[in-house]
């Protein structure tokens, strides 16, 4: 294997932020790689999802050392991710947020419940909350990919928290019957057509909800969530880290 120079599409300011976090938490801890390089190592792993072998060769360290550095940095950054209640309490919106689910594929699990009918692969279910402009507010912990989008927000207390805060949630048809303050498109009854006023209402709803796709696209810009090569059990820390990185970008 040989190494070569490569770029990572992450702002320099974010790299400096991660480096400062490591500096503030570690004190005088001595490591083979300086904090700046460990930050680079972690960001390359999350953003480009290079293999451990590629990263180890690029930084001149062993594979086990590369994993230890990245895992340690990910756990430290994940601790800064805001909780759902903190996020929504501090969010100053026009009375509503956008909710949608996505599946982060993984090749490390064949266990029952992780197969997602949505992507026809094993993965984990992630719930994404965004503003009306598509700005990411929160990413849920990972659940098995087979979890229905109606069950997931109940497990994460999304519906209860939004109801308590009197915050309306716009979601797609997968969330019909969620209750609380969740609003979904009006469903057509079997063998009938929706009245024009309901069709127009659904079009307005779809237009208002569309920006959540931009938030999901931004989340999937971290390529580890496109096809993860790690245990799904680690993806909750990864999503919390990505939330931390995204809200400070």
């Amino acid at each position: 294997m040989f190494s070569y120079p490569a770029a990572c599409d992450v702002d320099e300011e974010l790299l400096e932020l991660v480096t400062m976090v490591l500096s503030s938490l570690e004190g005088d801890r001595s490591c083979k790689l300086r904090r700046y390089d460990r930050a680079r190592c972690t960001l390359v792993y999350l953003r480009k999802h290079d293999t451990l072998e590629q990263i180890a060769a690029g930084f001149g360290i062993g594979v086990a050392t590369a994993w230890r550095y990245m895992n340690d940095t990910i756990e430290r950054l994940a601790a800064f991710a805001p909780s759902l209640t903190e996020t929504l309490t501090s969010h100053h919106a026009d009375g509503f947020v956008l909710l949608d689910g996505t599946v982060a594929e993984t090749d490390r699990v064949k266990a029952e419940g992780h197969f997602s009918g949505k992507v026809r692969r094993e993965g984990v279910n992630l719930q994404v909350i965004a503003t009306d402009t598509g700005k990411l507010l929160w990413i849920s912990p990972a659940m098995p990919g087979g979890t229905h989008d109606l069950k997931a927000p109940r497990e994460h207390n999304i519906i209860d928290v939004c109801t308590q805060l009197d915050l309306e949630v716009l979601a797609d048809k997968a969330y019909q019957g969620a209750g609380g303050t969740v609003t979904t498109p009006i469903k057509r009854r079997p063998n009938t057509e929706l009245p024009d006023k309901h069709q127009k209402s659904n079009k307005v709803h779809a237009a208002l909800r569309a920006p959540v796709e931009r938030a999901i696209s931004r989340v999937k810009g971290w390529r580890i969530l496109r096809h993860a090569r790690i245990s799904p059990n680690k993806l909750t820390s990864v999503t919390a880290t990505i939330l931390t990185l995204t809200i400070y970008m």
Side-chain angles (χ1 to χ4, degrees):
M1 180 182 292
F2 65 90
S3 60
Y4 63 96
C8 183
D9 57 338
V10 173
D11 291 340
E12 187 75 21
E13 291 81 0
L14 189 60
L15 174 58
E16 292 175 357
L17 176 65
V18 176
T19 304
M20 286 191 296
V21 169
L22 292 178
S23 298
S24 65
L25 295 176
E26 293 181 344
D28 296 328
R29 176 188 174 189
S30 177
C31 292
K32 185 174 183 179
L33 283 185
R34 359 169 244 173
R35 296 183 182 97
Y36 178 79
D37 288 327
R38 279 183 279 140
R40 285 201 301 161
C41 183
T42 303
L43 291 173
V44 166
Y45 178 68
L46 295 173
R47 190 69 173 184
K48 299 180 68 178
H49 200 32
D50 287 351
T51 64
L52 290 174
E53 290 79 7
Q54 289 171 323
I55 293 174
F59 287 88
I61 55 178
V63 172
T65 302
W67 170 247
R68 187 171 66 252
Y69 285 163
M70 289 185 295
N71 187 60
D72 181 66
T73 304
I74 286 171
E75 293 297 333
R76 291 177 184 276
L77 292 172
F80 287 93
S83 69
L84 173 65
T85 301
E86 290 172 340
T87 297
L88 296 183
T89 301
S90 62
H91 172 55
H92 302 290
D94 293 328
F96 73 93
V97 293
L98 310 176
L99 171 66
D100 203 357
T102 188
V103 175
E105 297 180 28
T106 176
D107 62 1
R108 290 286 300 276
V109 162
K110 296 292 182 182
E112 182 180 355
H114 280 82
F115 182 83
S116 168
K118 184 182 293 187
V119 298
R120 298 293 177 183
R121 286 191 61 86
E122 281 75 18
V124 295
N125 179 296
L126 303 176
Q127 296 295 302
V128 175
I129 299 179
T131 68
D132 59 336
T133 61
K135 177 183 177 182
L136 177 68
L137 289 176
W138 190 73
I139 314 172
S140 73
M143 295 186 70
T147 305
H148 194 277
D149 278 340
L150 182 57
K151 178 181 179 181
R154 289 173 174 163
E155 293 288 331
H156 298 307
N157 293 321
I158 295 174
I159 298 172
D160 289 343
V161 171
C162 289
T163 300
Q164 292 168 7
L165 297 175
D166 196 25
L167 189 61
E168 187 174 355
V169 181
L170 300 188
D172 63 20
K173 293 180 180 179
Y175 297 86
Q176 286 180 338
T181 55
V182 177
T183 300
T184 59
I186 300 172
K187 189 175 181 180
R188 178 179 63 85
R189 293 181 179 179
N191 302 318
T192 63
E193 293 293 333
L194 278 178
D196 287 344
K197 64 177 182 178
H198 290 168
Q199 292 185 30
K200 292 178 180 178
S201 175
N202 283 352
K203 288 181 179 179
V204 171
H205 182 279
L208 290 173
R209 204 189 64 81
V212 72
E213 298 297 339
R214 291 202 294 272
I216 291 177
S217 177
R218 193 176 185 191
V219 169
K220 290 295 184 75
W222 297 91
R223 295 174 184 84
I224 191 172
L225 294 183
R226 295 184 187 178
H227 196 116
R229 294 185 296 271
I230 59 175
S231 167
N233 295 330
K234 297 295 298 180
L235 285 177
T236 288
S237 293
V238 168
T239 56
T241 296
I242 290 173
L243 177 59
T244 298
L245 296 172
T246 302
I247 61 179
Y248 289 112
M249 283 182 67

